[in-house]
Amino acid sequence: MRGLLCWLVLLFLLQPWESQLQLAGPRCHTGPLDLVFVIDSSRSVRPFEFETMRQFLVGLLRGLNVGPNATRVGVIQYSSQVQSVFPLRAFSRREDMERAIRDLVPLAQGTMTGLAIQYAMNVAFSVAEGARPPEERVPRVAVIVTDGRPQDRVAEVAAQARARGIEIYAVGVQRADVGSLRAMASPPLDEHVFLVESFDLIQEFGLQFQSRLCVRDLCNGVDHGCEFQCVSEGLSYRCLCPEGRQLQADGKSCDRCREGHVDLVLLVDGSKSVRPQNFELVKRFVNQIVDFLDVSPEGTRVGLVQFSSRVRTEFPLGRYGTAAEVKQAVLAVEYMERGTMTGLALQHMVEHSFSEAQGARPRALNVPRVGLVFTDGRSQDDISVWAARAKEEGIVMYAVGVGKAVEAELREIASEPAELHVSYAPDFGTMTHLLQNLRGSICPEEGISAGTELRSPCECESLVEFQGRTLGALERTSANPNGLLNRSLAQLTARLEDLENQLTNQK
């Protein structure tokens, strides 16, 4: 009798993985979702623990609304290498997925979690593997299950994956490193990091994860009208805005720079010290700046220049007329690598980027010209001449430094006062806190171009302002021992001739 009771208890303990998750409630209808499980199959995961994880996956699948137009599921396992068990495009029936999971053989080697995240980002969530295109805005979710400390770096590659729109849940079992879990997971961490004492308790995560997937149905099932992002919360939902922008009174739209006129050129450091994954974060940061600008041919125009050992105009000021076009072009920028010739980049900006041929508006229209330099290290060439020249040309300069950026160089690049024009972040993952400061400086209604309007150069106020600028420029260059006086006088003469021509044309 005791033996029979033991068998009944054993059967009861084995049953929950494939039934308890399923019996927790009706199968949730999440709407379209691309879901990839990233499973640790290193040698530290013992055979019976791996079997428990296998049963957990099968049970979780049975609670999902699987299908080509609903939830697509992919599974990868990793140790010292990464192996695709099946991609998102492979199966549309739950039975086929379960069969592939039951046939799974663990790799039983090291724990290269960072490598697995990189594979998920670049391969598993690619359109070729079955992920839906980004323009369809189907949520991408990765669930990482691990039992130990990664043998490679995870923070940077996880940040890159999150920047690409992948929501990451980090599930640690037994010996898992909490710091690594927090470095991998999406915010808020209390909703995306799970630590369980043993594989036997992993079903606790399964129940919570399933309930969170179910509440997605609200945003997917109603016309929420959120401009940026909809987040389901129980029986309700709310709209979110990107960092640096605030939700408007209607609860749906996000604020942006109001009507104003700025020509903005971004100089982005593409040197090898930045590294590919961080360059993706830089591009995301640039797009977050674009998010709060009123981009249009009549409003704010944006140009982008990348520099390393050479300088390349990615797109000039006059090319794109909408924020969506600018953001798409930013995402398409390819990383250059090599050196850090910041001085050469400043020269290129002064001589080419703000020319009318590149899309800058004529100086006579008084449109503010703004340059923003983004760098992570010391320049390999001299910056002093062209940093000074940029400010002489009337360009308002901002300098954003990350990591090993040199404060003295940042201050030399930036306009005065440096406190308003220099920003710094210790690493690429924390630089988003700079957005609000930049917004307050660049936005026309809040910063350098507050109250700017396009005026006729023939109005009395314009002539007086022009005279004041001319006298100020002469005073700055009269004592210059480096021969800048003649060059400045030539520039002023050219501006006077331009004004004279406009007066003649009006007659």
Side-chain angles (χ1 to χ4, degrees):
M1 183 68 179
R2 181 178 299 175
L4 178 60
L5 181 61
C6 288
W7 275 108
L8 290 173
V9 170
L10 181 60
L11 287 173
F12 177 77
L13 291 174
L14 289 176
Q15 187 66 22
W17 310 118
E18 299 187 10
S19 62
Q20 186 168 344
L21 288 176
Q22 184 181 2
L23 295 174
R27 185 170 298 138
C28 62
H29 297 272
T30 64
L33 177 70
D34 289 340
L35 174 63
V36 173
F37 292 98
V38 183
I39 304 303
D40 180 353
S41 66
S42 59
R43 66 173 65 94
S44 61
V45 181
R46 289 166 287 190
F48 71 90
E49 294 174 335
F50 192 81
E51 182 61 30
T52 301
M53 185 154 48
R54 190 199 313 271
Q55 294 173 1
F56 155 74
L57 286 176
V58 170
L60 196 56
L61 280 176
R62 293 182 178 178
L64 298 175
N65 181 32
V66 173
N69 299 317
T71 300
R72 298 183 186 179
V73 179
V75 177
I76 63 177
Q77 67 166 333
Y78 72 93
S79 59
S80 298
Q81 56 186 330
V82 182
Q83 180 187 79
S84 175
V85 180
F86 57 86
L88 289 166
R89 59 176 165 77
F91 303 124
S92 59
R93 297 193 317 144
R94 189 175 296 100
E95 295 79 7
D96 297 328
M97 297 179 187
E98 292 182 12
R99 187 178 302 109
I101 291 172
R102 294 186 191 282
D103 293 339
L104 181 60
V105 177
L107 299 172
Q109 295 175 3
T111 311
M112 303 295 283
T113 311
L115 183 66
I117 297 173
Q118 186 172 27
Y119 180 92
M121 175 178 61
N122 294 333
V123 180
F125 281 108
S126 66
V127 175
E129 291 286 285
R132 277 153 284 201
E135 56 267 23
E136 293 187 17
R137 295 197 170 193
V138 174
R140 296 180 173 184
V141 177
V143 177
I144 303 171
V145 183
T146 182
D147 83 322
R149 183 186 296 273
Q151 295 175 336
D152 56 354
R153 294 184 176 182
V154 298
E156 292 177 357
V157 68
Q160 187 179 358
R162 295 193 301 269
R164 292 194 186 181
I166 301 172
E167 183 180 3
I168 300 178
Y169 288 84
V171 184
V173 184
Q174 289 181 328
R175 302 166 290 273
D177 177 58
V178 177
S180 299
L181 297 176
R182 294 174 65 86
M184 292 187 286
S186 296
L189 295 180
D190 59 344
E191 296 181 7
H192 291 83
V193 175
F194 295 84
L195 186 63
V196 296
E197 296 179 359
S198 68
F199 280 91
D200 292 337
L201 300 176
I202 198 171
Q203 64 171 341
E204 294 179 5
F205 162 74
L207 295 171
Q208 294 182 54
F209 178 68
Q210 186 176 3
S211 66
R212 285 185 182 153
L213 286 184
C214 289
V215 300
R216 293 174 179 273
D217 191 47
L218 268 178
C219 284
N220 288 318
V222 300
D223 183 15
H224 51 75
C226 296
E227 178 185 340
F228 181 72
Q229 184 180 1
C230 172
V231 177
S232 297
E233 294 184 333
L235 298 177
S236 183
Y237 68 87
R238 63 188 175 98
C239 299
L240 295 180
C241 291
E243 289 187 67
R245 294 176 61 188
Q246 296 180 348
L247 196 65
Q248 295 291 79
D250 63 4
K252 298 178 183 296
S253 60
C254 305
D255 69 337
R256 62 181 68 244
C257 290
R258 294 189 287 274
E259 184 177 354
H261 312 278
V262 176
D263 286 343
L264 172 65
V265 173
L266 300 141
L267 301 184
V268 175
D269 184 347
S271 60
K272 62 183 177 183
S273 61
V274 175
R275 294 190 288 187
Q277 59 269 33
N278 288 331
F279 192 73
E280 293 298 318
L281 295 180
V282 173
K283 292 197 294 185
R284 179 193 179 194
F285 183 78
V286 168
N287 276 346
Q288 288 175 313
I289 293 175
V290 174
D291 275 331
F292 61 66
L293 299 175
D294 177 29
V295 178
S296 69
E298 297 76 26
T300 298
R301 298 184 184 180
V302 181
L304 181 67
V305 173
Q306 184 182 177
F307 66 94
S308 59
S309 298
R310 55 190 178 90
V311 181
R312 183 172 73 203
T313 296
E314 301 295 351
F315 52 87
L317 284 167
R319 179 165 297 174
Y320 301 117
T322 67
E325 291 174 333
V326 171
K327 292 174 68 175
Q328 186 175 1
V330 170
L331 293 177
V333 170
E334 295 183 358
Y335 178 44
M336 292 174 70
E337 296 191 272
R338 304 186 68 181
T340 310
M341 304 293 282
T342 313
L344 185 64
L346 291 169
Q347 180 181 358
H348 180 91
M349 179 194 70
V350 171
E351 293 186 337
H352 302 288
S353 300
F354 283 107
S355 67
E356 291 183 39
Q358 295 270 299
R361 281 160 283 198
R363 289 183 179 277
L365 294 179
N366 297 311
V367 175
R369 296 183 171 185
V370 179
L372 192 154
V373 180
F374 189 100
T375 183
D376 83 323
R378 183 183 298 275
S379 177
Q380 295 174 335
D381 61 349
D382 179 66
I383 65 168
S384 57
V385 173
W386 290 101
R389 178 77 177 275
K391 284 167 272 191
E392 289 171 10
E393 290 288 322
I395 303 170
V396 180
M397 295 298 300
Y398 293 86
V400 178
V402 178
K404 296 182 180 179
V406 180
E407 182 183 0
E409 289 189 355
L410 298 176
R411 298 177 76 90
E412 189 167 10
I413 292 170
S415 296
E416 294 290 343
E419 291 72 23
L420 298 180
H421 295 84
V422 174
S423 301
Y424 176 79
D427 58 68
F428 288 88
T430 60
M431 63 188 176
T432 53
H433 78 275
L434 305 177
L435 284 168
Q436 194 60 43
N437 292 337
L438 288 173
R439 173 196 168 85
S441 300
I442 297 174
C443 270
E445 74 276 12
E446 301 170 28
I448 53 97
S449 59
T452 296
E453 59 179 353
L454 298 183
R455 299 200 307 261
S456 167
C458 302
E459 292 180 2
C460 180
E461 292 85 353
S462 297
L463 292 172
V464 171
E465 182 181 345
F466 182 81
Q467 182 183 30
R469 289 183 179 179
T470 301
L471 293 174
L474 285 171
E475 290 173 359
R476 287 194 301 271
T477 58
S478 60
N480 193 318
N482 296 323
L484 291 177
L485 177 59
N486 291 334
R487 184 169 59 207
S488 298
L489 287 172
Q491 293 165 356
L492 292 171
T493 301
R495 295 184 201 173
L496 285 169
E497 290 176 352
D498 181 61
L499 180 59
E500 186 177 350
N501 290 334
Q502 293 188 49
L503 287 168
T504 302
N505 291 334
Q506 287 201 356
K507 293 177 181 177

